[in-house]
Amino acid sequence: MSRFKAFLCSLLCSLLCFVPLCLLALQGQLAASPATAKAEKVPVDTPRPGDYKNILLVVQNPDPAFLLFRFDGMQNCVNGAVFPKDTVVLLSGKPVTLEACYQAAGPAQARDALGETFSLRIDNYFDVPVKTLSNSAAGFGAVRMGMNDFGQIKNLESLKQFVFDGGESDVSPAAAMVLVRDGGLEGEALASLRAKLYQNFLRAAPAELSACFTGAAQASGTLTDLTATEAPVYQRIFSMFKHTEPDVRVRRIPGIQTKNGYELNEESAQLAEEFFI
């Protein structure tokens, strides 16, 4: 046998032994991959220092409702204040109502006026149609409320949609919107009812905030200045709320009703500092 033929025979024998071993090793790696993937833990994106946002929510139902919220991932809390539409605020140092700001230049100007009034940073505004908010909030489900929670409803016809059992009734987000619209309340009384409703829903299912926020923000009828770079901050905050139930407080902003509108006072400033700074 020539040296060349001997070399070929030796190479062939080596390949016949080596290739099956490689295939067996590859098969073992593929079989181990699913188990390895399952064993790996997905890291939780926890809040970071500075992960808090103050937002202005405006809802038309049918008149504009103004709500200021703070979502704080580090402190694990949700704070909110409801403002009557005729709340007197400062814009370029001059008194004007929130509704006048909104009608003149939309939610951005209303946001700026509240920020100036309380020397407060408000990160984003969301002007959401009431139907959009109702649909986005459907995941919160119904909350149990008593007759006293409805306040001094003037239009008792609006209560016929509720079935009261022992003085209490289950209220869905859609039913709450109808109650706000048709209950016949105005000013302080209406703001107090809104505060009670928002507080009850947020306390009942804070984990739903992420889906509600995303649905409302992405809806075609929503006006917002939210940017793509800010969205991850909100998601980290809401992720925290899913894992640990936040402290939720929603109040009507303190003030006094006068002929010029709903005038803010020292109590208003104290609540704003406690809730949003």
Side-chain angles (χ1 to χ4, degrees), residues 6-249:
F7 171 76
L8 288 178
C9 290
S10 176
L11 178 62
L12 180 60
C13 290
S14 299
L15 289 175
L16 288 174
C17 294
F18 181 70
V19 170
L21 290 174
C22 290
L23 292 174
L24 285 172
L26 180 60
Q27 183 180 5
Q29 289 181 357
L30 292 174
S33 295
T36 305
K38 290 181 180 178
E40 292 179 355
K41 293 183 179 179
V42 178
V44 177
D45 196 3
T46 56
R48 307 167 188 175
D51 274 2
Y52 60 84
K53 290 289 186 180
N54 291 330
I55 73 164
L56 173 64
L57 174 64
V58 184
V59 184
Q60 293 271 359
N61 189 27
D63 294 330
F66 301 93
L67 303 98
L68 190 59
F69 282 103
R70 181 182 183 90
F71 302 127
D72 194 324
M74 293 299 295
Q75 298 298 322
N76 195 35
C77 67
V78 177
N79 294 331
V82 183
F83 293 79
K85 63 179 183 179
D86 62 339
T87 299
V88 179
V89 291
L90 295 176
L91 184 63
S92 300
K94 298 180 180 179
V96 62
T97 67
L98 267 178
E99 184 178 29
C101 289
Y102 177 76
Q103 299 296 350
Q109 184 162 283
R111 185 266 308 272
D112 293 344
L114 277 174
E116 179 180 337
T117 301
F118 293 113
S119 300
L120 176 69
R121 189 191 83 187
I122 303 177
D123 300 281
N124 298 111
Y125 62 78
F126 297 84
D127 189 351
V128 185
V130 65
K131 188 171 181 60
T132 296
L133 182 61
S134 178
N135 292 339
S136 300
F140 282 98
V143 295
R144 195 75 170 165
M145 294 182 65
M147 280 291 293
N148 293 335
D149 294 326
F150 291 107
Q152 299 175 344
I153 296 295
K154 294 182 179 180
N155 181 14
L156 297 181
E157 290 291 320
S158 65
L159 294 178
K160 286 187 175 181
Q161 63 181 308
F162 303 105
V163 177
F164 287 94
D165 178 17
E168 294 184 329
S169 180
D170 293 326
V171 182
S172 68
M177 303 299 178
V178 174
L179 183 65
V180 166
R181 184 190 66 203
D182 300 337
L185 296 180
E186 298 177 349
E188 294 178 62
L190 181 57
S192 295
L193 174 62
R194 281 194 170 106
K196 187 71 175 180
L197 289 166
Y198 277 91
Q199 178 172 274
N200 285 2
F201 283 115
L202 290 172
R203 283 181 174 176
E208 292 297 325
L209 253 175
S210 179
C212 179
F213 178 88
T214 302
Q218 294 179 349
S220 59
T222 297
L223 296 177
T224 180
D225 61 345
L226 177 68
T227 65
T229 57
E230 293 172 304
V233 179
Y234 284 98
Q235 293 308 318
R236 286 196 299 270
I237 295 171
F238 296 146
S239 177
M240 179 65 180
F241 295 164
K242 286 183 177 181
H243 290 87
T244 307
E245 188 171 303
D247 180 35
V248 177
R249 298 178 295 173

